[in-house]
């Protein structure tokens, strides 16, 4: 009798429709920085991958996408096999080479400057960092300004590094180079493209 493996189970049941839904959610998030978008929870990856990390991975990654994973994911054979089986994406241990990064634990998030910043001729070759956070409703408030935002927008996030505002300021100063950040939690996604400026919400 054959037994299923967590490395192969839990993928998209309807790959075309469900991946399209995930892609649209992410594109709306990137076009409207800081606006929380619902994210279909159509996969069941093995821990420490969250459903949302798995959804973004199966939506965006393929065999041409070089992927970096945090130490917790990288140390888990089932998680790595699941990613490989359902996305085909090759993995790298070098943050500066990665096109995408999956981070399940903020404590294991490298400095944003350690990831690929892109090249002057090809700024789109920078890393898109996908980070699972504790909440997109509570926590530190940020005031967002920039393209895609009418005036300003407030986003609360629980689960970013203490020095995130400083790191993001340095990231934005490199424009058009710099990383883009995707935040996921509880069936939702929000994005901070490199063009977005943030300040801490006081009080």
């Amino acid at each position: 009798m054959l037994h299923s493996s967590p490395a192969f189970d839990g993928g998209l049941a309807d790959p075309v429709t469900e991946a399209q839904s995930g892609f649209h959610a992410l594109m709306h998030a990137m076009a409207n920085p800081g606006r929380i978008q619902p994210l279909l929870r159509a996969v069941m990856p093995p821990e420490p991958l969250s459903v949302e990390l798995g959804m973004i991975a199966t939506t965006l990654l393929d065999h041409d996408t070089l992927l970096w994973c945090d130490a917790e994911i990288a140390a888990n054979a089932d998680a790595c096999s699941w990613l490989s089986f359902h996305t085909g994406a090759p993995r790298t241990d070098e943050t500066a080479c990665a096109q995408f990064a999956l981070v399940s634990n903020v404590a294991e998030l490298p400095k944003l400057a350690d990831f690929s910043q892109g090249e002057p001729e090809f700024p789109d070759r920078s890393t898109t960092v996908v980070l699972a956070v504790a909440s997109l409703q509570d926590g530190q408030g940020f005031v967002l300004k920039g393209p895609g935002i009418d005036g300003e927008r407030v986003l609360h996030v629980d689960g970013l590094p203490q020095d995130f505002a400083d790191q993001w300021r340095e990231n934005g100063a490199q424009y058009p180079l710099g990383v883009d950040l995707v935040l996921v939690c509880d069936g939702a996604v929000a994005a901070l493209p490199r063009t977005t400026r943030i300040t801490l919400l006081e009080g």
Side-chain angles (χ1 to χ4, degrees):
M1 181 178 178
L2 295 176
H3 295 278
S4 61
S5 165
F8 306 112
D9 294 341
L12 297 174
D14 184 352
V16 174
T17 301
E18 291 169 350
Q20 190 174 57
S21 173
F23 182 78
H24 285 164
L26 186 57
M27 291 302 100
H28 282 303
M30 292 294 288
N32 300 276
R35 180 177 291 171
I36 299 169
Q37 305 288 335
L39 181 66
L40 188 67
R41 306 182 78 189
V43 298
M44 292 187 64
E47 294 182 349
L49 287 169
S50 69
V51 171
E52 294 77 20
L53 286 176
M55 190 67 198
I56 295 294
T58 52
T59 296
L60 293 182
L61 305 183
D62 58 29
H63 64 276
D64 290 324
T65 312
L66 201 54
L67 172 67
W68 180 90
C69 298
D70 71 20
E72 197 167 332
I73 298 172
N76 187 291
D78 284 341
C80 291
S81 295
W82 190 92
L83 286 168
S84 179
F85 180 76
H86 290 286
T87 73
R91 283 185 41 236
T92 177
D93 294 328
E94 300 295 330
T95 52
C97 296
Q99 293 166 279
F100 277 85
L102 296 181
V103 184
S104 64
N105 185 345
V106 68
E108 296 179 356
L109 175 66
K111 296 293 186 183
L112 297 179
D114 292 344
F115 290 104
S116 172
Q117 305 298 300
E119 304 167 13
E121 300 85 359
F122 303 102
D124 58 323
R125 291 183 179 175
S126 64
T127 307
T128 297
V129 180
V130 187
L131 172 64
V133 296
S135 176
L136 287 171
Q137 303 287 346
D138 303 310
Q140 175 65 55
F142 298 94
V143 179
L144 281 51
K145 296 181 179 181
I149 301 172
D150 184 10
E152 61 184 37
R153 182 173 293 140
V154 174
L155 176 67
H156 287 84
V157 185
D158 182 2
L160 289 174
Q162 290 292 324
D163 64 344
F164 175 74
D166 291 335
Q167 288 195 53
W168 194 252
R169 194 174 300 111
E170 294 171 5
N171 185 66
Q174 299 187 80
Y175 184 81
L177 305 183
V179 306
D180 298 316
L181 184 62
V182 176
L183 307 173
V184 293
C185 178
D186 295 335
V189 57
L192 293 177
R194 70 195 76 177
T195 52
T196 303
R197 304 185 304 279
I198 69 167
T199 54
L200 295 179
L201 181 66
E202 303 297 338

